[in-house]
Amino acid sequence: MAWRGCSRLGAQLRRGPGWPQVLGRRRIVSCIDPSTGLTEEQKEFQKVAFDFAAKEMAPHMAEWDEKEIFPVETMRKAAQLGFGGIYVKPDVGGSGLSRLDTSVIFEALSTGCTSTTAYLSIHNMCAWMIDTFGNEEQRHKFCPSLCSMEKLASYCLTEPGSGSDAASLITSAKRKGDTYVLNGSKAFISGGGDTDVYVVMCRTGGSGPKGISCLVLEKGTPGLSFGKKERKVGWNSQPTRAVIFEDCAVPVANRLGAEGQGFGIAMKGLNGGRINIASCSLGAAHASVLLAQDHLTIRKQFGESLASNQYLRFRLAEMATRLVAARLMVRNAAQALQEEREDAIALCAMAKLFATDECFTICNQALQMHGGYGYLKDYAVQQFMRDIRVHQILEGTNEVMRMIVARSLLQE
């Protein structure tokens, strides 16, 4: 992509080949080193993810955003490295890694393109749900092609009338012999219309969470259609559409678990999804700190570099501190989820709340440090800020995360 240079400074700081070079400096030991505390094996696949982000994602990040390109072939290259089913079992093509390993990978990939990595995290969540709650026939039918990303997946929970109140969903599935007849619609579905497999929460019983089941639909099912492609502030490298069901006939054999278990399956998927999206926020914040560090060093005002300004030095230090604190919280929650600890749900909510809030603050402050340059689309910092704003909303809003933590503390 051709970049417009605003000045000599702009040529030094704009994206294009410059941002991957900044990204490559991750190997310099510093107080924000994301490899701190990792095993040698974890450092190896972190390096693979960082290298992929720098070479295959960062050079295209701006173009994918501007032209709203869904980079399927790049994601399939990521899948060749094992990133299509990171925490899916190996017998169906997954990498069989832990939740902590997954967090490390998504953080690294997100430095190359947060929007694309966020979709990868949703795809991985869907593959894990089928792997974990599906029977052997379902696992072997769906998971291999999802892990290779030959087929792509979407998670369908939110509806036009049920966002945070997910248990009030009204999409219905009426059983008729060996099929369910599905009617209703889902809103804000990542990948909707471009993906192949839809993991859908629907009502097969009475009101409330116990009446919800989980069905897997395939693209091309008669009666399955999609709304217009939404125009978004960020996350432009992945399409978002409504998913519409009109008398869709879905085999009972495509139900994950028993009738009435769908809401529990959806929530267990989201516990990991919250760690994943928080990890994507970490990557964006880490990249933004590096960009701010570079800008302060290069940019001069009042006869000296911005790095000489004590106020800006203090703000940079605060950004670094917030980043490391958020990373530690996310990794602690990932470990708790892997160990299936009793406090894992609350810790995942805490991590999602803290990391997405703090990382947005970091990206926004990095933009402010760039001054007017930060508001130009020639500079990567504004895209990181735009792409992670939605992380405070999806996978459960941060207001809902506070509710989860409070319920845990009050033992309700």
Side-chain angles (χ1 to χ4, degrees):
M1 179 178 180
W3 288 96
R4 301 182 303 278
C6 297
S7 65
R8 178 175 173 275
L9 172 65
Q12 289 174 294
L13 290 180
R14 69 193 181 204
R15 287 174 296 194
W19 169 229
Q21 290 168 3
V22 173
L23 179 55
R25 295 175 198 171
R26 68 185 183 277
R27 297 182 181 87
I28 299 173
V29 176
S30 76
C31 58
I32 63 168
D33 184 355
S35 68
T36 299
L38 301 182
T39 66
E40 290 305 312
E41 182 181 27
Q42 288 169 335
K43 289 178 183 178
E44 282 301 312
F45 54 67
Q46 181 188 57
K47 180 181 182 299
V48 170
F50 267 128
D51 287 344
F52 186 86
K55 295 173 183 176
E56 302 289 343
M57 299 173 78
H60 310 291
M61 170 177 141
E63 183 181 16
W64 294 342
D65 175 69
E66 183 177 348
K67 296 181 180 178
E68 298 187 1
I69 295 169
F70 193 34
V72 173
E73 292 309 314
T74 299
M75 291 190 290
R76 286 176 177 157
K77 288 182 182 179
Q80 292 174 10
L81 299 174
F83 299 156
I86 300 173
Y87 49 111
V88 172
K89 298 180 188 70
D91 68 313
V92 287
S95 297
L97 297 180
S98 73
R99 297 294 187 151
L100 176 55
D101 301 336
T102 304
S103 174
V104 168
I105 289 168
F106 284 143
E107 178 182 353
L109 290 176
S110 187
T111 61
C113 180
T114 302
S115 169
T116 303
T117 305
Y119 172 74
L120 280 169
S121 79
I122 295 166
H123 172 90
N124 270 263
M125 179 177 70
C126 292
W128 174 83
M129 291 169 69
I130 296 172
D131 180 41
T132 302
F133 300 104
N135 57 37
E136 287 303 301
E137 181 180 352
Q138 291 166 336
R139 292 178 67 243
H140 286 275
K141 176 181 179 181
F142 292 109
C143 289
S145 59
L146 292 177
C147 290
S148 68
M149 298 196 78
E150 175 190 345
K151 293 187 176 180
L152 307 177
S154 290
Y155 177 82
C156 301
L157 175 62
T158 299
E159 297 184 0
S162 62
S164 293
D165 185 14
S168 69
L169 65 84
I170 60 172
T171 294
S172 66
K174 306 294 185 184
R175 184 162 179 173
K176 291 187 177 180
D178 292 334
T179 64
Y180 287 102
V181 179
L182 192 63
N183 282 283
S185 63
K186 298 293 179 178
F188 308 127
I189 303 305
S190 293
D194 283 46
T195 50
D196 309 286
V197 175
Y198 295 84
V199 180
V200 181
M201 310 312 142
C202 52
R203 191 162 300 283
T204 54
S207 62
K210 293 183 180 179
I212 296 171
S213 299
C214 180
L215 301 180
V216 181
L217 273 73
E218 297 179 76
K219 190 173 184 179
T221 299
L224 175 64
S225 62
F226 308 95
K228 67 178 179 63
K229 185 177 177 182
E230 303 289 1
R231 298 176 65 237
K232 308 190 296 289
V233 171
W235 271 30
N236 289 317
S237 70
Q238 50 170 298
T240 301
R241 295 184 178 90
V243 178
I244 302 161
F245 314 104
E246 297 175 295
D247 292 330
C248 285
V250 184
V252 171
N254 281 22
R255 186 188 68 221
L256 298 183
E259 281 197 1
Q261 292 182 345
F263 191 76
I265 291 171
M267 293 303 104
K268 288 177 180 177
L270 283 180
N271 288 331
R274 288 163 186 159
I275 295 297
N276 294 345
I277 214 66
S279 302
C280 292
S281 292
L282 291 174
H286 183 82
S288 296
V289 170
L290 294 181
L291 287 168
Q293 177 187 355
D294 253 38
H295 186 81
L296 295 185
T297 302
I298 295 170
R299 176 69 164 162
K300 290 187 177 181
Q301 287 289 279
F302 304 104
E304 59 184 11
S305 72
L306 293 182
S308 301
N309 183 289
Q310 188 179 62
Y311 173 79
L312 294 176
R313 292 167 71 94
F314 282 3
R315 293 311 297 262
L316 186 65
E318 291 167 5
M319 291 159 66
T321 302
R322 287 189 172 108
L323 171 61
V324 173
R327 181 182 289 137
L328 291 172
M329 184 173 280
V330 171
R331 291 181 179 181
N332 177 58
Q335 191 65 38
L337 188 62
Q338 183 68 31
E339 295 170 358
E340 299 183 346
R341 283 166 34 191
E342 188 176 349
D343 60 353
I345 294 174
L347 288 175
C348 289
M350 284 180 175
K352 195 268 184 181
L353 165 64
F354 187 81
T356 59
D357 277 354
E358 293 300 319
C359 289
F360 178 76
T361 298
I362 291 167
C363 293
N364 196 41
Q365 181 58 48
L367 188 154
Q368 184 73 16
M369 286 178 167
H370 280 71
Y373 289 107
Y375 207 60
L376 300 180
K377 288 195 173 181
D378 293 284
Y379 293 79
V381 66
Q382 54 76 33
Q383 187 173 335
F384 285 119
M385 185 272 292
R386 286 188 293 108
D387 280 342
I388 71 164
R389 178 58 183 88
V390 74
H391 295 188
Q392 295 166 287
I393 298 172
L394 48 77
E395 310 290 42
T397 66
N398 284 5
E399 289 73 25
V400 169
M401 297 305 99
R402 290 174 172 88
M403 291 167 60
I404 293 170
V405 174
R407 280 204 302 263
S408 175
L409 289 170
L410 297 172
Q411 299 182 341
E412 294 177 345

